[in-house]
Every structure is written in C-alpha cells, then in structure tokens.
Amino acid sequence: KQEVTQIPAALSVPEGENLVLNCSFTDSAIYNLQWFRQDPGKGLTSLLLIQSSQREQTSGRLNASLDKSSGRSTLYIAASQPGDSATYLCALSNDYKLSFGAGTTVTVRA
Amino acid sequence: GAGVSQSPSNKVTEKGKDVELRCDPISGHTALYWYRQSLGQGLEFLIYFQGNSAPDKSGLPSDRFSAERTGGSVSTLTIQRTQQEDSAVYLCASSLASQVLHFGNGTRLTVT
C-alpha cells in the first residue's frame, strides 16, 4: 500500500520568502504525481502534474520536482505572497487511484 | 467553463437517516471519483467510475454506502442509516483519462 508523508504539517513564513514543501512516498511504481492546493471550506485545485517519466514541472512561481529513486517530490513556491496561504497536498497515482498525503498548511505573513 | 458541482454544500442529518449527495462532473469527463475528508485526516478514496466500465468500489467503508452514475454523467452517493462517524466532507472529482483531477467544493455532512 502506498504511504505518502508530508513534512512539515504546518509552515509560517514572511512574505517574499521562498517556500519548500516536501512529499515522500514508499512505492516508486507510480503513474503520476499531483500537487494540489486547498483553501478553507473549498475543494482541491490542481497546481502541477508530473508524469512518471518526468523530473519536474513549472508553472509561474511554482516548480515541482520528482525523484522516484528516493521516493520524494518537492514543491517550490518562489517569492511567497499572503494569497499563497493554504493547505498543499501531494497525491500519487497508481493508474487511476490517488493516494494523498495529509498536507502542509502554509501561512504567509504580510 | 463550469467546474464540478456538488449539492448540497452542507447537510445536517440525524443518526439513522439516509442521505444522498449529488455530483455534477465537468461535461465530457469520463472519470468520476468520490473521496472523503475527515477532520485531521487525509483524503480517503471511496469509489471510481470510468465510462461504462464496472466501478471500483473498493474504498466504500461499509455496505451502508453506495453510489451510482447515471448516463455517464451525474453521480449520487447514498449513505443509509447514517452514523456519527460518517460526519466528514465528501468530495467529488472528475477527469479526462485519469489525468488532472478537478474537484468540487464538497458536501459537509454532519450526523447528529
């Protein structure tokens, strides 16, 4: 069974600082990895999807890397803003079923 | 275009009552998922529909839970004889070919 761990559980940074969010997993036989953002009382919004054959994906200030050999993915958010405050979840897909981490709750202080 | 729509957004029910939760996926999305998010817990897979294939029901926690998807579009998750431990946010998602998932805002179920 795939186990997904996200550390730290919570993170508070001043505006402008770069964010580094970690995701580790136990089974490297994955189909793809997705990073999601969840705002309070809302559903999940997909940020980045990395296919199993890829090493990273970038979108604006966001960059996600994937290292299957070490069972790790990292989400980088450059020059954080208060609007980046949310919970960030990683999820790994084995075919169609996603296994989610518990998330990292980020607070960006103005 | 329109995203995934779930209704109701909130539901309070008495223990022992049945509830129905509805999900309208994005038009044309062949895959539909139900997940459950309990306080302090990660997302728990419940059920997966893909086109006309038999659904993967392996995540349903008990036989009180059932789901259907009519006409390859709208899905209904039914919980019979609700229990307090069923209280959670129920999230629906849809996708094309099991790629990027698009989630609805969820239904917050409270069983009193």
Side-chain angles (χ1 to χ4, degrees), chain B residues 24-48:
Chain B
D24 280 282
I26 293 173
S27 178
H29 279 191
T30 55
L32 186 148
Y33 303 75
W34 283 98
Y35 281 86
R36 177 166 74 173
Q37 188 174 34
S38 303
L39 190 63
Q41 305 281 328
L43 272 79
E44 175 189 12
F45 168 80
L46 296 179
I47 189 168
Y48 166 77

mmCIF file of all heavy atoms in Angstrom, chain B residues 24-48:
data_model
loop_
_atom_site.group_PDB
_atom_site.id
_atom_site.type_symbol
_atom_site.label_atom_id
_atom_site.label_comp_id
_atom_site.label_asym_id
_atom_site.label_seq_id
_atom_site.Cartn_x
_atom_site.Cartn_y
_atom_site.Cartn_z
ATOM 1 N N ASP B 24 -22.221 16.771 -10.054
ATOM 2 C CA ASP B 24 -22.301 17.036 -11.488
ATOM 3 C C ASP B 24 -20.880 17.255 -12.000
ATOM 4 O O ASP B 24 -20.279 18.299 -11.700
ATOM 5 C CB ASP B 24 -23.136 18.281 -11.788
ATOM 6 C CG ASP B 24 -24.617 18.000 -11.755
ATOM 7 O OD1 ASP B 24 -25.106 17.447 -12.732
ATOM 8 O OD2 ASP B 24 -25.255 18.329 -10.741
ATOM 9 N N PRO B 25 -20.326 16.326 -12.740
ATOM 10 C CA PRO B 25 -18.935 16.482 -13.190
ATOM 11 C C PRO B 25 -18.842 17.466 -14.348
ATOM 12 O O PRO B 25 -19.851 17.922 -14.879
ATOM 13 C CB PRO B 25 -18.569 15.070 -13.645
ATOM 14 C CG PRO B 25 -19.873 14.512 -14.137
ATOM 15 C CD PRO B 25 -20.923 15.079 -13.220
ATOM 16 N N ILE B 26 -17.626 17.767 -14.732
ATOM 17 C CA ILE B 26 -17.405 18.606 -15.902
ATOM 18 C C ILE B 26 -17.853 17.828 -17.137
ATOM 19 O O ILE B 26 -17.535 16.632 -17.270
ATOM 20 C CB ILE B 26 -15.917 19.007 -16.007
ATOM 21 C CG1 ILE B 26 -15.558 19.932 -14.838
ATOM 22 C CG2 ILE B 26 -15.613 19.664 -17.338
ATOM 23 C CD1 ILE B 26 -14.079 20.268 -14.734
ATOM 24 N N SER B 27 -18.560 18.507 -18.009
ATOM 25 C CA SER B 27 -19.093 17.867 -19.198
ATOM 26 C C SER B 27 -17.979 17.225 -20.027
ATOM 27 O O SER B 27 -16.940 17.861 -20.295
ATOM 28 C CB SER B 27 -19.838 18.894 -20.054
ATOM 29 O OG SER B 27 -20.323 18.291 -21.227
ATOM 30 N N GLY B 28 -18.192 15.971 -20.389
ATOM 31 C CA GLY B 28 -17.208 15.274 -21.204
ATOM 32 C C GLY B 28 -16.173 14.491 -20.417
ATOM 33 O O GLY B 28 -15.440 13.667 -20.993
ATOM 34 N N HIS B 29 -16.096 14.733 -19.119
ATOM 35 C CA HIS B 29 -15.145 13.967 -18.306
ATOM 36 C C HIS B 29 -15.680 12.554 -18.097
ATOM 37 O O HIS B 29 -16.802 12.364 -17.619
ATOM 38 C CB HIS B 29 -14.923 14.652 -16.950
ATOM 39 C CG HIS B 29 -13.954 15.782 -17.019
ATOM 40 N ND1 HIS B 29 -13.437 16.381 -15.890
ATOM 41 C CD2 HIS B 29 -13.392 16.414 -18.075
ATOM 42 C CE1 HIS B 29 -12.599 17.335 -16.251
ATOM 43 N NE2 HIS B 29 -12.561 17.384 -17.589
ATOM 44 N N THR B 30 -14.836 11.588 -18.443
ATOM 45 C CA THR B 30 -15.281 10.201 -18.365
ATOM 46 C C THR B 30 -15.040 9.583 -16.997
ATOM 47 O O THR B 30 -15.694 8.623 -16.615
ATOM 48 C CB THR B 30 -14.550 9.359 -19.422
ATOM 49 O OG1 THR B 30 -13.134 9.513 -19.236
ATOM 50 C CG2 THR B 30 -14.923 9.814 -20.830
ATOM 51 N N ALA B 31 -14.090 10.120 -16.260
ATOM 52 C CA ALA B 31 -13.756 9.552 -14.951
ATOM 53 C C ALA B 31 -14.378 10.392 -13.846
ATOM 54 O O ALA B 31 -14.362 11.626 -13.906
ATOM 55 C CB ALA B 31 -12.248 9.477 -14.759
ATOM 56 N N LEU B 32 -14.925 9.722 -12.839
ATOM 57 C CA LEU B 32 -15.524 10.407 -11.702
ATOM 58 C C LEU B 32 -15.134 9.674 -10.434
ATOM 59 O O LEU B 32 -15.168 8.446 -10.371
ATOM 60 C CB LEU B 32 -17.053 10.459 -11.844
ATOM 61 C CG LEU B 32 -17.821 11.276 -10.801
ATOM 62 C CD1 LEU B 32 -19.070 11.899 -11.420
ATOM 63 C CD2 LEU B 32 -18.195 10.461 -9.586
ATOM 64 N N TYR B 33 -14.735 10.465 -9.428
ATOM 65 C CA TYR B 33 -14.255 9.917 -8.158
ATOM 66 C C TYR B 33 -15.072 10.509 -6.997
ATOM 67 O O TYR B 33 -15.484 11.663 -7.043
ATOM 68 C CB TYR B 33 -12.797 10.334 -7.892
ATOM 69 C CG TYR B 33 -11.783 9.975 -8.937
ATOM 70 C CD1 TYR B 33 -11.702 10.663 -10.144
ATOM 71 C CD2 TYR B 33 -10.838 8.970 -8.697
ATOM 72 C CE1 TYR B 33 -10.738 10.359 -11.094
ATOM 73 C CE2 TYR B 33 -9.869 8.662 -9.635
ATOM 74 C CZ TYR B 33 -9.827 9.365 -10.825
ATOM 75 O OH TYR B 33 -8.857 9.057 -11.762
ATOM 76 N N TRP B 34 -15.206 9.708 -5.957
ATOM 77 C CA TRP B 34 -15.675 10.212 -4.663
ATOM 78 C C TRP B 34 -14.571 9.970 -3.640
ATOM 79 O O TRP B 34 -14.007 8.864 -3.574
ATOM 80 C CB TRP B 34 -16.943 9.500 -4.196
ATOM 81 C CG TRP B 34 -18.199 9.947 -4.885
ATOM 82 C CD1 TRP B 34 -18.825 9.341 -5.944
ATOM 83 C CD2 TRP B 34 -19.015 11.066 -4.539
ATOM 84 N NE1 TRP B 34 -19.963 10.019 -6.292
ATOM 85 C CE2 TRP B 34 -20.108 11.082 -5.437
ATOM 86 C CE3 TRP B 34 -18.946 12.051 -3.559
ATOM 87 C CZ2 TRP B 34 -21.118 12.051 -5.380
ATOM 88 C CZ3 TRP B 34 -19.933 13.015 -3.498
ATOM 89 C CH2 TRP B 34 -21.018 13.005 -4.405
ATOM 90 N N TYR B 35 -14.268 11.018 -2.862
ATOM 91 C CA TYR B 35 -13.318 10.937 -1.758
ATOM 92 C C TYR B 35 -13.993 11.461 -0.497
ATOM 93 O O TYR B 35 -14.932 12.245 -0.560
ATOM 94 C CB TYR B 35 -12.065 11.779 -2.027
ATOM 95 C CG TYR B 35 -11.063 11.128 -2.954
ATOM 96 C CD1 TYR B 35 -11.185 11.249 -4.335
ATOM 97 C CD2 TYR B 35 -9.993 10.390 -2.452
ATOM 98 C CE1 TYR B 35 -10.270 10.653 -5.184
ATOM 99 C CE2 TYR B 35 -9.070 9.788 -3.292
ATOM 100 C CZ TYR B 35 -9.219 9.919 -4.664
ATOM 101 O OH TYR B 35 -8.310 9.330 -5.504
ATOM 102 N N ARG B 36 -13.477 11.046 0.639
ATOM 103 C CA ARG B 36 -13.974 11.538 1.922
ATOM 104 C C ARG B 36 -12.798 12.161 2.673
ATOM 105 O O ARG B 36 -11.706 11.584 2.715
ATOM 106 C CB ARG B 36 -14.580 10.381 2.736
ATOM 107 C CG ARG B 36 -15.061 10.785 4.106
ATOM 108 C CD ARG B 36 -15.942 9.699 4.710
ATOM 109 N NE ARG B 36 -15.186 8.544 5.153
ATOM 110 C CZ ARG B 36 -15.726 7.540 5.824
ATOM 111 N NH1 ARG B 36 -17.023 7.547 6.103
ATOM 112 N NH2 ARG B 36 -14.990 6.510 6.191
ATOM 113 N N GLN B 37 -13.061 13.317 3.265
ATOM 114 C CA GLN B 37 -12.036 14.023 4.053
ATOM 115 C C GLN B 37 -12.580 14.268 5.443
ATOM 116 O O GLN B 37 -13.484 15.077 5.638
ATOM 117 C CB GLN B 37 -11.652 15.342 3.372
ATOM 118 C CG GLN B 37 -10.477 16.052 4.006
ATOM 119 C CD GLN B 37 -10.052 17.266 3.192
ATOM 120 O OE1 GLN B 37 -10.866 17.950 2.582
ATOM 121 N NE2 GLN B 37 -8.743 17.538 3.156
ATOM 122 N N SER B 38 -12.028 13.548 6.402
ATOM 123 C CA SER B 38 -12.448 13.711 7.792
ATOM 124 C C SER B 38 -11.503 14.667 8.484
ATOM 125 O O SER B 38 -10.357 14.836 8.076
ATOM 126 C CB SER B 38 -12.453 12.354 8.506
ATOM 127 O OG SER B 38 -13.288 11.436 7.830
ATOM 128 N N LEU B 39 -11.986 15.288 9.581
ATOM 129 C CA LEU B 39 -11.191 16.290 10.288
ATOM 130 C C LEU B 39 -9.867 15.685 10.711
ATOM 131 O O LEU B 39 -9.822 14.661 11.370
ATOM 132 C CB LEU B 39 -11.983 16.786 11.512
ATOM 133 C CG LEU B 39 -11.398 17.997 12.229
ATOM 134 C CD1 LEU B 39 -11.398 19.196 11.301
ATOM 135 C CD2 LEU B 39 -12.203 18.307 13.485
ATOM 136 N N GLY B 40 -8.780 16.345 10.298
ATOM 137 C CA GLY B 40 -7.462 15.877 10.687
ATOM 138 C C GLY B 40 -6.969 14.661 9.932
ATOM 139 O O GLY B 40 -5.888 14.161 10.212
ATOM 140 N N GLN B 41 -7.759 14.195 8.965
ATOM 141 C CA GLN B 41 -7.371 13.013 8.193
ATOM 142 C C GLN B 41 -7.045 13.412 6.762
ATOM 143 O O GLN B 41 -7.441 14.459 6.283
ATOM 144 C CB GLN B 41 -8.529 12.000 8.170
ATOM 145 C CG GLN B 41 -9.031 11.595 9.527
ATOM 146 C CD GLN B 41 -8.139 10.582 10.178
ATOM 147 O OE1 GLN B 41 -7.521 9.763 9.519
ATOM 148 N NE2 GLN B 41 -8.044 10.637 11.494
ATOM 149 N N GLY B 42 -6.347 12.547 6.085
ATOM 150 C CA GLY B 42 -6.110 12.753 4.666
ATOM 151 C C GLY B 42 -7.345 12.379 3.877
ATOM 152 O O GLY B 42 -8.356 11.965 4.428
ATOM 153 N N LEU B 43 -7.259 12.528 2.576
ATOM 154 C CA LEU B 43 -8.371 12.141 1.721
ATOM 155 C C LEU B 43 -8.418 10.628 1.560
ATOM 156 O O LEU B 43 -7.410 9.987 1.293
ATOM 157 C CB LEU B 43 -8.249 12.794 0.343
ATOM 158 C CG LEU B 43 -8.874 14.173 0.222
ATOM 159 C CD1 LEU B 43 -7.959 15.215 0.811
ATOM 160 C CD2 LEU B 43 -9.180 14.485 -1.243
ATOM 161 N N GLU B 44 -9.619 10.097 1.715
ATOM 162 C CA GLU B 44 -9.835 8.661 1.647
ATOM 163 C C GLU B 44 -10.631 8.340 0.379
ATOM 164 O O GLU B 44 -11.732 8.862 0.185
ATOM 165 C CB GLU B 44 -10.605 8.224 2.894
ATOM 166 C CG GLU B 44 -11.019 6.784 2.927
ATOM 167 C CD GLU B 44 -11.955 6.508 4.101
ATOM 168 O OE1 GLU B 44 -12.443 7.455 4.738
ATOM 169 O OE2 GLU B 44 -12.199 5.311 4.363
ATOM 170 N N PHE B 45 -10.083 7.489 -0.459
ATOM 171 C CA PHE B 45 -10.751 7.080 -1.692
ATOM 172 C C PHE B 45 -12.003 6.267 -1.368
ATOM 173 O O PHE B 45 -11.963 5.379 -0.514
ATOM 174 C CB PHE B 45 -9.786 6.247 -2.533
ATOM 175 C CG PHE B 45 -10.426 5.530 -3.686
ATOM 176 C CD1 PHE B 45 -10.708 6.186 -4.869
ATOM 177 C CD2 PHE B 45 -10.761 4.186 -3.588
ATOM 178 C CE1 PHE B 45 -11.295 5.514 -5.941
ATOM 179 C CE2 PHE B 45 -11.346 3.504 -4.644
ATOM 180 C CZ PHE B 45 -11.617 4.178 -5.821
ATOM 181 N N LEU B 46 -13.089 6.559 -2.044
ATOM 182 C CA LEU B 46 -14.330 5.812 -1.842
ATOM 183 C C LEU B 46 -14.677 4.979 -3.065
ATOM 184 O O LEU B 46 -14.841 3.758 -2.966
ATOM 185 C CB LEU B 46 -15.480 6.768 -1.528
ATOM 186 C CG LEU B 46 -15.371 7.570 -0.227
ATOM 187 C CD1 LEU B 46 -16.574 8.491 -0.085
ATOM 188 C CD2 LEU B 46 -15.257 6.646 0.982
ATOM 189 N N ILE B 47 -14.822 5.627 -4.229
ATOM 190 C CA ILE B 47 -15.296 4.911 -5.412
ATOM 191 C C ILE B 47 -14.851 5.638 -6.669
ATOM 192 O O ILE B 47 -14.643 6.857 -6.648
ATOM 193 C CB ILE B 47 -16.837 4.752 -5.376
ATOM 194 C CG1 ILE B 47 -17.340 3.822 -6.487
ATOM 195 C CG2 ILE B 47 -17.528 6.105 -5.460
ATOM 196 C CD1 ILE B 47 -18.811 3.406 -6.313
ATOM 197 N N TYR B 48 -14.700 4.873 -7.763
ATOM 198 C CA TYR B 48 -14.225 5.414 -9.035
ATOM 199 C C TYR B 48 -15.099 4.877 -10.157
ATOM 200 O O TYR B 48 -15.357 3.671 -10.234
ATOM 201 C CB TYR B 48 -12.772 5.004 -9.255
ATOM 202 C CG TYR B 48 -12.220 5.180 -10.650
ATOM 203 C CD1 TYR B 48 -11.859 6.440 -11.119
ATOM 204 C CD2 TYR B 48 -12.014 4.077 -11.485
ATOM 205 C CE1 TYR B 48 -11.314 6.597 -12.383
ATOM 206 C CE2 TYR B 48 -11.480 4.230 -12.754
ATOM 207 C CZ TYR B 48 -11.121 5.488 -13.200
ATOM 208 O OH TYR B 48 -10.581 5.662 -14.451
#
